[in-house]
Amino acid sequence: AAGRRLFSTTPSAANGVEALKPLSSPACQRVFDAVLRRDGAQPEFVQAVHEVLDSIAPVVEQRPQLEPLVSALCEPERVVHFRVPWVDDKGARTINRGFRVQMNSAIGPYKGGLRFHPSVDVSVLKFLAFEQVLKNALTTLPLGGGKGGADFDPKGKSDGEVMRFCQSFMTELCRHIGSFTDVPAGDIGVGAREIGLLFGQYKRIRNEFSGVLTGKAMSFGGS
């Protein structure tokens, strides 16, 4: 956690700790304290959880039986972290980190984008997946929430390099997604080109043409 800012609910100037205000609901505060103990080195995720708990605190205060559900909402059902090896145009081997955070599938399959950007890490993706659960639920569609990606930057890369990276990324990701399990989409750094390459590799490995990715071109199953 070197270089990270840790969070606390009490003001402190030591060790770069940033103060977050105590929550008005004791139940929400207990949930947040548990998140802080486990994930204190994940600042983006901790901040997102605090903001949501602060918003729902009046409701939880009136309905304390919701505490176990709120606690479950703050813990991912699954976090997949994997190595993505690929070869650049000069023949040099490169390793990136790939992730898929499957946050919650209570009302439907995980749904959320894939992001390729150097800033991607577990904290960022847990924060995005956590908020994706809430956004998807508000659509009233039967969709859970998830988020994934890699610390790979497609900017400045050739089409061949992007293709090799996407193929390597999907070779592992395909084990964890499916049209009734987890349906990724595009996000920062993942546009129509990347979605097409990812879908092509999924189809080649799984030998099926299914709605496993959204954002495809209309010429091969998009809308």
Side-chain angles (χ1 to χ4, degrees), residues 135-174:
K135 289 193 292 184
N136 289 351
L138 289 172
T139 69
T140 71
L141 297 173
L143 296 172
K147 207 75 175 183
D151 59 354
F152 170 80
D153 190 355
K155 291 183 179 179
K157 304 293 192 303
S158 70
D159 287 344
E161 289 173 326
V162 173
M163 179 187 72
R164 290 190 291 275
F165 177 82
C166 287
Q167 289 175 339
S168 181
F169 182 83
M170 182 53 78
T171 297
E172 174 60 30
L173 185 67
C174 72

PDB file of all heavy atoms in Angstrom, residues 135-174:
ATOM      1  N   LYS A 135     -26.440   1.403 -10.211  1.00  0.00           N
ATOM      2  CA  LYS A 135     -26.935   1.974 -11.472  1.00  0.00           C
ATOM      3  C   LYS A 135     -27.791   0.966 -12.229  1.00  0.00           C
ATOM      4  O   LYS A 135     -28.854   1.311 -12.767  1.00  0.00           O
ATOM      5  CB  LYS A 135     -25.765   2.439 -12.338  1.00  0.00           C
ATOM      6  CG  LYS A 135     -25.061   3.670 -11.809  1.00  0.00           C
ATOM      7  CD  LYS A 135     -24.119   4.279 -12.828  1.00  0.00           C
ATOM      8  CE  LYS A 135     -22.936   3.392 -13.112  1.00  0.00           C
ATOM      9  NZ  LYS A 135     -21.971   4.032 -14.035  1.00  0.00           N
ATOM     10  N   ASN A 136     -27.318  -0.279 -12.308  1.00  0.00           N
ATOM     11  CA  ASN A 136     -28.078  -1.297 -13.039  1.00  0.00           C
ATOM     12  C   ASN A 136     -29.402  -1.602 -12.359  1.00  0.00           C
ATOM     13  O   ASN A 136     -30.421  -1.819 -13.031  1.00  0.00           O
ATOM     14  CB  ASN A 136     -27.247  -2.572 -13.187  1.00  0.00           C
ATOM     15  CG  ASN A 136     -26.099  -2.408 -14.170  1.00  0.00           C
ATOM     16  OD1 ASN A 136     -26.009  -1.403 -14.866  1.00  0.00           O
ATOM     17  ND2 ASN A 136     -25.222  -3.394 -14.226  1.00  0.00           N
ATOM     18  N   ALA A 137     -29.411  -1.623 -11.038  1.00  0.00           N
ATOM     19  CA  ALA A 137     -30.656  -1.893 -10.314  1.00  0.00           C
ATOM     20  C   ALA A 137     -31.691  -0.801 -10.584  1.00  0.00           C
ATOM     21  O   ALA A 137     -32.890  -1.083 -10.694  1.00  0.00           O
ATOM     22  CB  ALA A 137     -30.371  -1.996  -8.815  1.00  0.00           C
ATOM     23  N   LEU A 138     -31.234   0.433 -10.725  1.00  0.00           N
ATOM     24  CA  LEU A 138     -32.157   1.544 -10.957  1.00  0.00           C
ATOM     25  C   LEU A 138     -32.782   1.515 -12.352  1.00  0.00           C
ATOM     26  O   LEU A 138     -33.795   2.173 -12.582  1.00  0.00           O
ATOM     27  CB  LEU A 138     -31.429   2.876 -10.748  1.00  0.00           C
ATOM     28  CG  LEU A 138     -31.082   3.211  -9.294  1.00  0.00           C
ATOM     29  CD1 LEU A 138     -30.194   4.444  -9.226  1.00  0.00           C
ATOM     30  CD2 LEU A 138     -32.345   3.422  -8.466  1.00  0.00           C
ATOM     31  N   THR A 139     -32.205   0.742 -13.275  1.00  0.00           N
ATOM     32  CA  THR A 139     -32.815   0.616 -14.605  1.00  0.00           C
ATOM     33  C   THR A 139     -34.065  -0.243 -14.570  1.00  0.00           C
ATOM     34  O   THR A 139     -34.825  -0.251 -15.538  1.00  0.00           O
ATOM     35  CB  THR A 139     -31.830   0.007 -15.614  1.00  0.00           C
ATOM     36  OG1 THR A 139     -31.596  -1.367 -15.292  1.00  0.00           O
ATOM     37  CG2 THR A 139     -30.522   0.774 -15.649  1.00  0.00           C
ATOM     38  N   THR A 140     -34.261  -0.992 -13.491  1.00  0.00           N
ATOM     39  CA  THR A 140     -35.339  -1.986 -13.303  1.00  0.00           C
ATOM     40  C   THR A 140     -35.145  -3.219 -14.179  1.00  0.00           C
ATOM     41  O   THR A 140     -36.007  -4.099 -14.204  1.00  0.00           O
ATOM     42  CB  THR A 140     -36.750  -1.405 -13.548  1.00  0.00           C
ATOM     43  OG1 THR A 140     -36.950  -1.154 -14.960  1.00  0.00           O
ATOM     44  CG2 THR A 140     -36.961  -0.109 -12.769  1.00  0.00           C
ATOM     45  N   LEU A 141     -34.022  -3.324 -14.891  1.00  0.00           N
ATOM     46  CA  LEU A 141     -33.717  -4.529 -15.663  1.00  0.00           C
ATOM     47  C   LEU A 141     -33.064  -5.560 -14.744  1.00  0.00           C
ATOM     48  O   LEU A 141     -32.404  -5.208 -13.761  1.00  0.00           O
ATOM     49  CB  LEU A 141     -32.772  -4.190 -16.817  1.00  0.00           C
ATOM     50  CG  LEU A 141     -33.305  -3.229 -17.873  1.00  0.00           C
ATOM     51  CD1 LEU A 141     -32.204  -2.854 -18.857  1.00  0.00           C
ATOM     52  CD2 LEU A 141     -34.484  -3.847 -18.604  1.00  0.00           C
ATOM     53  N   PRO A 142     -33.224  -6.853 -15.049  1.00  0.00           N
ATOM     54  CA  PRO A 142     -32.628  -7.901 -14.204  1.00  0.00           C
ATOM     55  C   PRO A 142     -31.133  -8.044 -14.455  1.00  0.00           C
ATOM     56  O   PRO A 142     -30.676  -9.011 -15.063  1.00  0.00           O
ATOM     57  CB  PRO A 142     -33.412  -9.153 -14.613  1.00  0.00           C
ATOM     58  CG  PRO A 142     -33.782  -8.909 -16.041  1.00  0.00           C
ATOM     59  CD  PRO A 142     -34.049  -7.425 -16.140  1.00  0.00           C
ATOM     60  N   LEU A 143     -30.357  -7.083 -13.977  1.00  0.00           N
ATOM     61  CA  LEU A 143     -28.918  -7.065 -14.200  1.00  0.00           C
ATOM     62  C   LEU A 143     -28.180  -6.858 -12.886  1.00  0.00           C
ATOM     63  O   LEU A 143     -28.537  -5.988 -12.093  1.00  0.00           O
ATOM     64  CB  LEU A 143     -28.521  -5.943 -15.159  1.00  0.00           C
ATOM     65  CG  LEU A 143     -29.053  -6.018 -16.597  1.00  0.00           C
ATOM     66  CD1 LEU A 143     -28.720  -4.723 -17.335  1.00  0.00           C
ATOM     67  CD2 LEU A 143     -28.445  -7.217 -17.319  1.00  0.00           C
ATOM     68  N   GLY A 144     -27.154  -7.660 -12.670  1.00  0.00           N
ATOM     69  CA  GLY A 144     -26.243  -7.427 -11.561  1.00  0.00           C
ATOM     70  C   GLY A 144     -25.197  -6.410 -11.974  1.00  0.00           C
ATOM     71  O   GLY A 144     -25.361  -5.684 -12.956  1.00  0.00           O
ATOM     72  N   GLY A 145     -24.105  -6.367 -11.226  1.00  0.00           N
ATOM     73  CA  GLY A 145     -23.078  -5.382 -11.524  1.00  0.00           C
ATOM     74  C   GLY A 145     -21.682  -5.951 -11.444  1.00  0.00           C
ATOM     75  O   GLY A 145     -21.382  -6.794 -10.587  1.00  0.00           O
ATOM     76  N   GLY A 146     -20.825  -5.504 -12.339  1.00  0.00           N
ATOM     77  CA  GLY A 146     -19.430  -5.908 -12.332  1.00  0.00           C
ATOM     78  C   GLY A 146     -18.599  -4.898 -13.095  1.00  0.00           C
ATOM     79  O   GLY A 146     -19.128  -3.972 -13.717  1.00  0.00           O
ATOM     80  N   LYS A 147     -17.300  -5.078 -13.057  1.00  0.00           N
ATOM     81  CA  LYS A 147     -16.395  -4.205 -13.799  1.00  0.00           C
ATOM     82  C   LYS A 147     -15.070  -4.943 -13.960  1.00  0.00           C
ATOM     83  O   LYS A 147     -14.692  -5.744 -13.103  1.00  0.00           O
ATOM     84  CB  LYS A 147     -16.162  -2.890 -13.044  1.00  0.00           C
ATOM     85  CG  LYS A 147     -15.808  -1.713 -13.937  1.00  0.00           C
ATOM     86  CD  LYS A 147     -17.015  -1.188 -14.682  1.00  0.00           C
ATOM     87  CE  LYS A 147     -16.674   0.073 -15.480  1.00  0.00           C
ATOM     88  NZ  LYS A 147     -17.856   0.628 -16.156  1.00  0.00           N
ATOM     89  N   GLY A 148     -14.388  -4.664 -15.058  1.00  0.00           N
ATOM     90  CA  GLY A 148     -13.122  -5.336 -15.276  1.00  0.00           C
ATOM     91  C   GLY A 148     -12.206  -4.513 -16.139  1.00  0.00           C
ATOM     92  O   GLY A 148     -12.517  -3.382 -16.531  1.00  0.00           O
ATOM     93  N   GLY A 149     -11.058  -5.094 -16.461  1.00  0.00           N
ATOM     94  CA  GLY A 149     -10.125  -4.398 -17.327  1.00  0.00           C
ATOM     95  C   GLY A 149      -8.702  -4.804 -17.072  1.00  0.00           C
ATOM     96  O   GLY A 149      -8.417  -5.855 -16.494  1.00  0.00           O
ATOM     97  N   ALA A 150      -7.784  -3.931 -17.486  1.00  0.00           N
ATOM     98  CA  ALA A 150      -6.363  -4.198 -17.354  1.00  0.00           C
ATOM     99  C   ALA A 150      -5.598  -2.884 -17.314  1.00  0.00           C
ATOM    100  O   ALA A 150      -6.080  -1.855 -17.795  1.00  0.00           O
ATOM    101  CB  ALA A 150      -5.869  -5.051 -18.521  1.00  0.00           C
ATOM    102  N   ASP A 151      -4.383  -2.936 -16.766  1.00  0.00           N
ATOM    103  CA  ASP A 151      -3.531  -1.747 -16.709  1.00  0.00           C
ATOM    104  C   ASP A 151      -2.745  -1.582 -18.013  1.00  0.00           C
ATOM    105  O   ASP A 151      -1.588  -1.159 -18.010  1.00  0.00           O
ATOM    106  CB  ASP A 151      -2.589  -1.819 -15.504  1.00  0.00           C
ATOM    107  CG  ASP A 151      -1.677  -3.028 -15.523  1.00  0.00           C
ATOM    108  OD1 ASP A 151      -1.824  -3.906 -16.408  1.00  0.00           O
ATOM    109  OD2 ASP A 151      -0.787  -3.105 -14.646  1.00  0.00           O
ATOM    110  N   PHE A 152      -3.383  -1.896 -19.098  1.00  0.00           N
ATOM    111  CA  PHE A 152      -2.818  -1.801 -20.447  1.00  0.00           C
ATOM    112  C   PHE A 152      -3.306  -0.515 -21.092  1.00  0.00           C
ATOM    113  O   PHE A 152      -4.480  -0.172 -20.987  1.00  0.00           O
ATOM    114  CB  PHE A 152      -3.279  -3.008 -21.271  1.00  0.00           C
ATOM    115  CG  PHE A 152      -2.984  -2.938 -22.742  1.00  0.00           C
ATOM    116  CD1 PHE A 152      -1.725  -3.227 -23.235  1.00  0.00           C
ATOM    117  CD2 PHE A 152      -3.988  -2.602 -23.652  1.00  0.00           C
ATOM    118  CE1 PHE A 152      -1.461  -3.171 -24.599  1.00  0.00           C
ATOM    119  CE2 PHE A 152      -3.737  -2.546 -25.019  1.00  0.00           C
ATOM    120  CZ  PHE A 152      -2.464  -2.832 -25.489  1.00  0.00           C
ATOM    121  N   ASP A 153      -2.402   0.200 -21.764  1.00  0.00           N
ATOM    122  CA  ASP A 153      -2.777   1.436 -22.439  1.00  0.00           C
ATOM    123  C   ASP A 153      -2.745   1.220 -23.946  1.00  0.00           C
ATOM    124  O   ASP A 153      -1.668   1.070 -24.533  1.00  0.00           O
ATOM    125  CB  ASP A 153      -1.812   2.556 -22.065  1.00  0.00           C
ATOM    126  CG  ASP A 153      -2.280   3.920 -22.550  1.00  0.00           C
ATOM    127  OD1 ASP A 153      -3.308   3.986 -23.249  1.00  0.00           O
ATOM    128  OD2 ASP A 153      -1.615   4.921 -22.213  1.00  0.00           O
ATOM    129  N   PRO A 154      -3.913   1.172 -24.606  1.00  0.00           N
ATOM    130  CA  PRO A 154      -3.928   0.959 -26.050  1.00  0.00           C
ATOM    131  C   PRO A 154      -3.399   2.133 -26.858  1.00  0.00           C
ATOM    132  O   PRO A 154      -3.099   1.989 -28.044  1.00  0.00           O
ATOM    133  CB  PRO A 154      -5.402   0.692 -26.359  1.00  0.00           C
ATOM    134  CG  PRO A 154      -6.149   1.343 -25.243  1.00  0.00           C
ATOM    135  CD  PRO A 154      -5.264   1.276 -24.046  1.00  0.00           C
ATOM    136  N   LYS A 155      -3.268   3.309 -26.223  1.00  0.00           N
ATOM    137  CA  LYS A 155      -2.777   4.483 -26.949  1.00  0.00           C
ATOM    138  C   LYS A 155      -1.324   4.262 -27.373  1.00  0.00           C
ATOM    139  O   LYS A 155      -0.476   3.842 -26.576  1.00  0.00           O
ATOM    140  CB  LYS A 155      -2.882   5.730 -26.086  1.00  0.00           C
ATOM    141  CG  LYS A 155      -4.306   6.188 -25.831  1.00  0.00           C
ATOM    142  CD  LYS A 155      -4.347   7.477 -25.030  1.00  0.00           C
ATOM    143  CE  LYS A 155      -5.777   7.948 -24.810  1.00  0.00           C
ATOM    144  NZ  LYS A 155      -5.840   9.195 -24.004  1.00  0.00           N
ATOM    145  N   GLY A 156      -1.042   4.562 -28.619  1.00  0.00           N
ATOM    146  CA  GLY A 156       0.309   4.400 -29.127  1.00  0.00           C
ATOM    147  C   GLY A 156       0.676   2.994 -29.525  1.00  0.00           C
ATOM    148  O   GLY A 156       1.794   2.742 -29.997  1.00  0.00           O
ATOM    149  N   LYS A 157      -0.254   2.062 -29.361  1.00  0.00           N
ATOM    150  CA  LYS A 157      -0.002   0.673 -29.745  1.00  0.00           C
ATOM    151  C   LYS A 157      -0.499   0.438 -31.163  1.00  0.00           C
ATOM    152  O   LYS A 157      -1.482   1.035 -31.618  1.00  0.00           O
ATOM    153  CB  LYS A 157      -0.717  -0.289 -28.792  1.00  0.00           C
ATOM    154  CG  LYS A 157      -0.371  -0.120 -27.318  1.00  0.00           C
ATOM    155  CD  LYS A 157       1.047  -0.479 -27.015  1.00  0.00           C
ATOM    156  CE  LYS A 157       1.310  -0.590 -25.515  1.00  0.00           C
ATOM    157  NZ  LYS A 157       0.986   0.604 -24.747  1.00  0.00           N
ATOM    158  N   SER A 158       0.166  -0.452 -31.877  1.00  0.00           N
ATOM    159  CA  SER A 158      -0.274  -0.808 -33.225  1.00  0.00           C
ATOM    160  C   SER A 158      -1.503  -1.712 -33.152  1.00  0.00           C
ATOM    161  O   SER A 158      -1.821  -2.272 -32.102  1.00  0.00           O
ATOM    162  CB  SER A 158       0.848  -1.544 -33.963  1.00  0.00           C
ATOM    163  OG  SER A 158       1.049  -2.838 -33.391  1.00  0.00           O
ATOM    164  N   ASP A 159      -2.187  -1.860 -34.274  1.00  0.00           N
ATOM    165  CA  ASP A 159      -3.342  -2.758 -34.319  1.00  0.00           C
ATOM    166  C   ASP A 159      -2.931  -4.175 -33.949  1.00  0.00           C
ATOM    167  O   ASP A 159      -3.678  -4.896 -33.272  1.00  0.00           O
ATOM    168  CB  ASP A 159      -3.971  -2.746 -35.718  1.00  0.00           C
ATOM    169  CG  ASP A 159      -4.733  -1.458 -36.003  1.00  0.00           C
ATOM    170  OD1 ASP A 159      -5.029  -0.711 -35.046  1.00  0.00           O
ATOM    171  OD2 ASP A 159      -5.036  -1.215 -37.184  1.00  0.00           O
ATOM    172  N   GLY A 160      -1.741  -4.596 -34.393  1.00  0.00           N
ATOM    173  CA  GLY A 160      -1.268  -5.935 -34.070  1.00  0.00           C
ATOM    174  C   GLY A 160      -1.023  -6.122 -32.590  1.00  0.00           C
ATOM    175  O   GLY A 160      -1.339  -7.182 -32.022  1.00  0.00           O
ATOM    176  N   GLU A 161      -0.461  -5.116 -31.943  1.00  0.00           N
ATOM    177  CA  GLU A 161      -0.222  -5.208 -30.500  1.00  0.00           C
ATOM    178  C   GLU A 161      -1.533  -5.252 -29.729  1.00  0.00           C
ATOM    179  O   GLU A 161      -1.683  -6.030 -28.777  1.00  0.00           O
ATOM    180  CB  GLU A 161       0.638  -4.027 -30.051  1.00  0.00           C
ATOM    181  CG  GLU A 161       2.075  -4.118 -30.521  1.00  0.00           C
ATOM    182  CD  GLU A 161       2.882  -2.880 -30.216  1.00  0.00           C
ATOM    183  OE1 GLU A 161       2.311  -1.754 -30.248  1.00  0.00           O
ATOM    184  OE2 GLU A 161       4.098  -3.013 -29.953  1.00  0.00           O
ATOM    185  N   VAL A 162      -2.484  -4.411 -30.119  1.00  0.00           N
ATOM    186  CA  VAL A 162      -3.792  -4.422 -29.449  1.00  0.00           C
ATOM    187  C   VAL A 162      -4.470  -5.770 -29.654  1.00  0.00           C
ATOM    188  O   VAL A 162      -5.078  -6.326 -28.733  1.00  0.00           O
ATOM    189  CB  VAL A 162      -4.673  -3.272 -29.976  1.00  0.00           C
ATOM    190  CG1 VAL A 162      -6.093  -3.388 -29.417  1.00  0.00           C
ATOM    191  CG2 VAL A 162      -4.079  -1.925 -29.599  1.00  0.00           C
ATOM    192  N   MET A 163      -4.370  -6.327 -30.861  1.00  0.00           N
ATOM    193  CA  MET A 163      -4.971  -7.634 -31.133  1.00  0.00           C
ATOM    194  C   MET A 163      -4.362  -8.708 -30.237  1.00  0.00           C
ATOM    195  O   MET A 163      -5.088  -9.499 -29.618  1.00  0.00           O
ATOM    196  CB  MET A 163      -4.777  -8.024 -32.592  1.00  0.00           C
ATOM    197  CG  MET A 163      -5.359  -9.391 -32.928  1.00  0.00           C
ATOM    198  SD  MET A 163      -4.962  -9.953 -34.601  1.00  0.00           S
ATOM    199  CE  MET A 163      -3.208 -10.320 -34.412  1.00  0.00           C
ATOM    200  N   ARG A 164      -3.039  -8.744 -30.140  1.00  0.00           N
ATOM    201  CA  ARG A 164      -2.394  -9.780 -29.331  1.00  0.00           C
ATOM    202  C   ARG A 164      -2.733  -9.626 -27.852  1.00  0.00           C
ATOM    203  O   ARG A 164      -2.929 -10.619 -27.143  1.00  0.00           O
ATOM    204  CB  ARG A 164      -0.877  -9.753 -29.559  1.00  0.00           C
ATOM    205  CG  ARG A 164      -0.477 -10.236 -30.944  1.00  0.00           C
ATOM    206  CD  ARG A 164       1.021 -10.428 -31.080  1.00  0.00           C
ATOM    207  NE  ARG A 164       1.764  -9.159 -31.066  1.00  0.00           N
ATOM    208  CZ  ARG A 164       1.966  -8.402 -32.129  1.00  0.00           C
ATOM    209  NH1 ARG A 164       1.473  -8.760 -33.321  1.00  0.00           N
ATOM    210  NH2 ARG A 164       2.668  -7.288 -32.035  1.00  0.00           N
ATOM    211  N   PHE A 165      -2.815  -8.373 -27.400  1.00  0.00           N
ATOM    212  CA  PHE A 165      -3.197  -8.169 -26.005  1.00  0.00           C
ATOM    213  C   PHE A 165      -4.631  -8.641 -25.755  1.00  0.00           C
ATOM    214  O   PHE A 165      -4.899  -9.346 -24.781  1.00  0.00           O
ATOM    215  CB  PHE A 165      -3.067  -6.703 -25.595  1.00  0.00           C
ATOM    216  CG  PHE A 165      -3.531  -6.468 -24.190  1.00  0.00           C
ATOM    217  CD1 PHE A 165      -2.694  -6.717 -23.127  1.00  0.00           C
ATOM    218  CD2 PHE A 165      -4.835  -6.060 -23.929  1.00  0.00           C
ATOM    219  CE1 PHE A 165      -3.132  -6.556 -21.824  1.00  0.00           C
ATOM    220  CE2 PHE A 165      -5.286  -5.899 -22.628  1.00  0.00           C
ATOM    221  CZ  PHE A 165      -4.428  -6.142 -21.576  1.00  0.00           C
ATOM    222  N   CYS A 166      -5.557  -8.220 -26.613  1.00  0.00           N
ATOM    223  CA  CYS A 166      -6.971  -8.591 -26.429  1.00  0.00           C
ATOM    224  C   CYS A 166      -7.153 -10.103 -26.461  1.00  0.00           C
ATOM    225  O   CYS A 166      -7.935 -10.673 -25.689  1.00  0.00           O
ATOM    226  CB  CYS A 166      -7.835  -7.933 -27.501  1.00  0.00           C
ATOM    227  SG  CYS A 166      -8.075  -6.153 -27.274  1.00  0.00           S
ATOM    228  N   GLN A 167      -6.437 -10.776 -27.349  1.00  0.00           N
ATOM    229  CA  GLN A 167      -6.553 -12.229 -27.432  1.00  0.00           C
ATOM    230  C   GLN A 167      -6.044 -12.885 -26.158  1.00  0.00           C
ATOM    231  O   GLN A 167      -6.652 -13.834 -25.645  1.00  0.00           O
ATOM    232  CB  GLN A 167      -5.805 -12.742 -28.654  1.00  0.00           C
ATOM    233  CG  GLN A 167      -6.490 -12.382 -29.972  1.00  0.00           C
ATOM    234  CD  GLN A 167      -5.683 -12.791 -31.187  1.00  0.00           C
ATOM    235  OE1 GLN A 167      -4.468 -12.997 -31.113  1.00  0.00           O
ATOM    236  NE2 GLN A 167      -6.347 -12.903 -32.328  1.00  0.00           N
ATOM    237  N   SER A 168      -4.925 -12.390 -25.629  1.00  0.00           N
ATOM    238  CA  SER A 168      -4.399 -12.948 -24.390  1.00  0.00           C
ATOM    239  C   SER A 168      -5.335 -12.662 -23.223  1.00  0.00           C
ATOM    240  O   SER A 168      -5.591 -13.538 -22.384  1.00  0.00           O
ATOM    241  CB  SER A 168      -3.013 -12.362 -24.110  1.00  0.00           C
ATOM    242  OG  SER A 168      -2.460 -12.907 -22.930  1.00  0.00           O
ATOM    243  N   PHE A 169      -5.863 -11.453 -23.174  1.00  0.00           N
ATOM    244  CA  PHE A 169      -6.785 -11.071 -22.100  1.00  0.00           C
ATOM    245  C   PHE A 169      -8.024 -11.968 -22.107  1.00  0.00           C
ATOM    246  O   PHE A 169      -8.438 -12.499 -21.080  1.00  0.00           O
ATOM    247  CB  PHE A 169      -7.175  -9.602 -22.282  1.00  0.00           C
ATOM    248  CG  PHE A 169      -8.097  -9.052 -21.227  1.00  0.00           C
ATOM    249  CD1 PHE A 169      -7.604  -8.583 -20.019  1.00  0.00           C
ATOM    250  CD2 PHE A 169      -9.460  -8.988 -21.451  1.00  0.00           C
ATOM    251  CE1 PHE A 169      -8.451  -8.061 -19.054  1.00  0.00           C
ATOM    252  CE2 PHE A 169     -10.324  -8.478 -20.502  1.00  0.00           C
ATOM    253  CZ  PHE A 169      -9.812  -8.008 -19.288  1.00  0.00           C
ATOM    254  N   MET A 170      -8.620 -12.173 -23.284  1.00  0.00           N
ATOM    255  CA  MET A 170      -9.828 -12.975 -23.367  1.00  0.00           C
ATOM    256  C   MET A 170      -9.565 -14.456 -23.147  1.00  0.00           C
ATOM    257  O   MET A 170     -10.454 -15.191 -22.680  1.00  0.00           O
ATOM    258  CB  MET A 170     -10.518 -12.754 -24.713  1.00  0.00           C
ATOM    259  CG  MET A 170     -11.824 -13.521 -24.882  1.00  0.00           C
ATOM    260  SD  MET A 170     -13.035 -13.249 -23.540  1.00  0.00           S
ATOM    261  CE  MET A 170     -13.690 -11.643 -23.992  1.00  0.00           C
ATOM    262  N   THR A 171      -8.361 -14.923 -23.434  1.00  0.00           N
ATOM    263  CA  THR A 171      -8.036 -16.331 -23.195  1.00  0.00           C
ATOM    264  C   THR A 171      -8.267 -16.707 -21.737  1.00  0.00           C
ATOM    265  O   THR A 171      -8.710 -17.812 -21.430  1.00  0.00           O
ATOM    266  CB  THR A 171      -6.583 -16.621 -23.601  1.00  0.00           C
ATOM    267  OG1 THR A 171      -6.449 -16.404 -25.021  1.00  0.00           O
ATOM    268  CG2 THR A 171      -6.179 -18.052 -23.287  1.00  0.00           C
ATOM    269  N   GLU A 172      -7.994 -15.787 -20.827  1.00  0.00           N
ATOM    270  CA  GLU A 172      -8.268 -16.046 -19.417  1.00  0.00           C
ATOM    271  C   GLU A 172      -9.682 -15.622 -19.036  1.00  0.00           C
ATOM    272  O   GLU A 172     -10.392 -16.346 -18.345  1.00  0.00           O
ATOM    273  CB  GLU A 172      -7.265 -15.308 -18.536  1.00  0.00           C
ATOM    274  CG  GLU A 172      -7.557 -15.413 -17.039  1.00  0.00           C
ATOM    275  CD  GLU A 172      -7.547 -16.834 -16.513  1.00  0.00           C
ATOM    276  OE1 GLU A 172      -6.809 -17.672 -17.065  1.00  0.00           O
ATOM    277  OE2 GLU A 172      -8.289 -17.125 -15.546  1.00  0.00           O
ATOM    278  N   LEU A 173     -10.115 -14.442 -19.504  1.00  0.00           N
ATOM    279  CA  LEU A 173     -11.423 -13.930 -19.085  1.00  0.00           C
ATOM    280  C   LEU A 173     -12.562 -14.851 -19.500  1.00  0.00           C
ATOM    281  O   LEU A 173     -13.583 -14.932 -18.808  1.00  0.00           O
ATOM    282  CB  LEU A 173     -11.647 -12.536 -19.670  1.00  0.00           C
ATOM    283  CG  LEU A 173     -12.925 -11.821 -19.215  1.00  0.00           C
ATOM    284  CD1 LEU A 173     -12.840 -11.476 -17.730  1.00  0.00           C
ATOM    285  CD2 LEU A 173     -13.175 -10.564 -20.034  1.00  0.00           C
ATOM    286  N   CYS A 174     -12.412 -15.548 -20.616  1.00  0.00           N
ATOM    287  CA  CYS A 174     -13.510 -16.386 -21.123  1.00  0.00           C
ATOM    288  C   CYS A 174     -13.921 -17.470 -20.136  1.00  0.00           C
ATOM    289  O   CYS A 174     -15.030 -18.001 -20.226  1.00  0.00           O
ATOM    290  CB  CYS A 174     -13.142 -16.999 -22.475  1.00  0.00           C
ATOM    291  SG  CYS A 174     -11.915 -18.312 -22.396  1.00  0.00           S
TER     292      CYS A 174
END
